[in-house]
Amino acid sequence: MLRASIETQGEEVDLRGLTDGKAAGESSISGAAALVDFVEATLGGNTDEIAVARDLVRSELGSEALVDAAAVIGNFERMVRVADGTGIPLDAAVNVATEEIRSELGIDAFASEERKSEVATWQRLMARAIDPLAKIGLRWQGRRASR
Amino acid sequence: MTVADVFGTLELCAVEVAISMSLDSAFQYAAQLEDPVRADLVESHRRSWARLAESGTWWTGPERIAIAAASRAAIDCALCRERKEALSPFSVTGAHDGVSGGGSEGLVPEAAIDAAHRIVTDASRLSGTWVEGLAEQGVSDAHYVELLSVVVSVRSIDAFHRAMGLPLEPLPEPTPGGCEPTRRRPPTAEKTDAFVAMLPSRKPPGEDADLFPGPAPYVIRAMSLVPDAVRWLKDLSGAHYLSMEAGQMFDFANGRGPLSRAQTELIAGRVSAVNECFY
């Protein structure tokens, strides 16, 4: 989802901030470092650190964005537990499309990764063929949205 | 807000006045925060508290609140901390802290309390074998799915509160004279490639047709063994993230409000990574 949303802007996709919070500062996404700090502080549970992170998001992105960011944190505190609690595998298309990224970002080391399915060679080849078309489609969606 | 607004397709019993009264007094964000909280977010949280207080499909209202209380106690539980550090989370035994929170003594099986704690503190290391073993301890697969929906719903609202520096909302009182659980298991649910049975990907038949319109990803179907758990999930997701009904999920160029879609997904991805969830 993150990769797709960055693709719509036609920008370089750098997902390192997902698994390495310090790398978020180099992201092209506005306020990325503040948002990642807000996530880490909230999940860490230290109220002083949360307050500092909250003030930073508010000053960089505004009050409404702060509330929405807190809501998104809440959403994914739920969704990760739904996925892990029910043991669902990745959907086939996502499994194929994210194979390289999961390896690059070290997500393969997570305990829940044991639930992944192996990607067949034909699936990998098909994904490589479709990828350029998907990028064109996403950039078209981005240009259309900015009109 | 009417009761019909709150519960939609859920069956109702004679508790309508009590529910609607309690809804409007909870989640008073305007009095607690200077930051503006969207009305749909407030309403979704109030609906969640009303759902929590009511009987579900497998647990009664008091039992659901006992499970919610146990899930909150997990945050400061010494046993959970010890397990989190252990090589295997199943190698450490003992008693959880705060089991009696919320007046839940003996109300639900110990296995349910343990499940609530594990889901909160160490979800990425749960296993299918463990879920299957719960049935022998009084927690069937359907009981487990409903328990999961209670725990994760409370967890998500509590996370919003923690992020905004708000005190946790007191858990609701069980709805007086609430209905008996219906214990309805969707006839087409089957166990395939997850820990629990779920509905097939195609549009569900009959009274579950509202759950999803056609081919649906695993994460939407994950709790479909208990259809009301999916309805609760969709309600909260629509307020916290993006609406599954309005096609917002597939619009990668636009956010729903002041956050761009990329900012939203960065938060989502970082929460998942910190929780060590590969999904």
Side-chain angles (χ1 to χ4, degrees):
Chain A
M1 296 283 202
L2 176 59
R3 186 173 66 167
S5 57
I6 295 173
E7 296 274 13
T8 63
Q9 309 305 312
E11 291 170 359
E12 185 73 21
V13 177
D14 179 357
L15 303 180
R16 287 173 302 145
L18 293 181
T19 49
D20 176 6
K22 293 184 185 73
E26 297 164 31
S27 167
S28 60
I29 299 169
S30 170
L35 290 170
V36 166
D37 279 353
F38 189 37
V39 169
E40 291 176 353
T42 300
L43 271 53
N46 181 308
T47 51
D48 293 338
E49 290 177 9
I50 298 170
V52 171
R54 191 167 53 240
D55 288 345
L56 188 59
V57 173
R58 190 186 287 113
S59 69
E60 287 195 17
L61 301 171
S63 278
E64 290 182 5
L66 170 69
V67 172
D68 280 7
V72 176
I73 292 172
N75 192 73
F76 284 89
E77 277 284 274
R78 180 176 65 257
M79 299 310 283
V80 297
R81 287 172 175 78
V82 170
D84 285 338
T86 55
I88 50 173
L90 278 180
D91 294 277
V94 177
N95 188 36
V96 175
T98 61
E99 185 187 24
E100 279 182 32
I101 296 171
R102 296 200 313 271
S103 173
E104 285 170 15
L105 297 180
I107 293 170
D108 287 340
F110 294 168
S112 55
E113 171 71 4
E114 290 173 6
R115 302 200 308 266
K116 76 173 181 193
S117 309
E118 288 303 316
V119 177
T121 304
W122 69 267
Q123 289 177 312
R124 202 170 287 129
L125 291 173
M126 186 173 278
R128 281 184 194 152
I130 292 171
D131 194 53
L133 296 174
K135 282 181 180 163
I136 291 169
L138 288 166
R139 285 180 191 179
W140 175 79
Q141 193 182 64
R143 282 197 299 274
R144 198 160 160 256
S146 62
R147 275 183 212 147
Chain B
M1 185 184 299
T2 68
V3 173
D5 292 335
V6 172
F7 286 103
T9 59
L10 288 182
E11 287 184 16
L12 296 177
C13 48
V15 293
E16 301 187 1
V17 175
I19 294 171
S20 57
M21 282 172 65
S22 66
L23 276 179
D24 292 335
S25 61
F27 300 102
Q28 296 287 345
Y29 294 136
Q32 296 172 294
L33 285 173
E34 290 184 11
D35 304 297
V37 178
R38 283 182 276 112
D40 66 307
L41 202 53
V42 179
E43 287 163 13
S44 181
H45 288 183
R46 287 178 178 166
R47 283 193 295 271
S48 288
W49 251 225
R51 288 179 192 275
L52 179 59
E54 249 300 357
S55 278
T57 309
W58 297 90
W59 300 100
T60 65
E63 289 168 339
R64 286 157 67 89
I65 291 166
I67 290 164
S71 75
R72 280 184 164 177
I75 306 290
D76 298 315
C77 175
L79 175 62
C80 288
R81 270 198 301 276
E82 194 182 341
R83 277 185 178 161
K84 186 79 178 167
E85 298 298 318
L87 202 57
S88 165
F90 302 103
S91 65
V92 181
T93 55
H96 289 289
D97 291 338
V99 170
S100 61
S104 60
E105 297 89 344
L107 203 56
V108 295
E110 281 293 316
I113 300 289
D114 184 55
H117 278 244
R118 287 183 190 270
I119 290 165
V120 169
T121 59
D122 206 4
S124 69
R125 295 199 291 172
L126 299 178
S127 74
T129 309
W130 170 74
V131 173
E132 284 170 16
L134 290 175
E136 296 164 13
Q137 302 169 71
V139 183
S140 71
D141 57 351
H143 280 96
Y144 171 72
V145 170
E146 184 169 319
L147 176 149
L148 176 67
S149 83
V150 166
V151 171
V152 299
S153 299
V154 172
R155 174 74 181 177
S156 68
I157 292 171
D158 286 355
F160 174 79
H161 279 233
R162 247 193 317 281
M164 293 305 299
L166 292 163
L168 299 186
E169 185 74 21
L171 292 173
E173 291 295 320
T175 304
C179 316
E180 275 298 300
T182 59
R183 296 185 176 81
R184 177 182 166 271
R185 191 180 176 99
T188 55
E190 57 184 356
K191 190 165 183 289
T192 52
D193 38 14
F195 299 164
V196 294
M198 61 178 87
L199 292 172
S201 177
R202 63 181 180 274
K203 180 183 169 78
E207 60 191 290
D208 300 324
D210 62 306
L211 297 185
F212 41 87
Y218 279 116
V219 77
I220 306 300
R221 295 190 287 130
M223 297 194 293
S224 58
L225 182 58
V226 180
D228 279 340
V230 180
R231 295 184 181 104
W232 195 353
L233 176 94
K234 287 168 66 178
D235 184 350
L236 276 172
S237 289
H240 284 172
Y241 175 55
L242 298 166
S243 168
M244 296 177 192
E245 315 286 1
Q248 292 173 336
M249 295 279 183
F250 300 102
D251 181 356
F252 295 105
N254 294 296
R256 67 176 290 167
L259 288 180
S260 71
R261 184 65 190 266
Q263 288 170 321
T264 301
E265 297 303 334
L266 176 68
I267 297 167
R270 189 64 190 137
V271 173
S272 300
V274 172
N275 278 292
E276 299 198 342
C277 176
F278 82 106
Y279 196 81

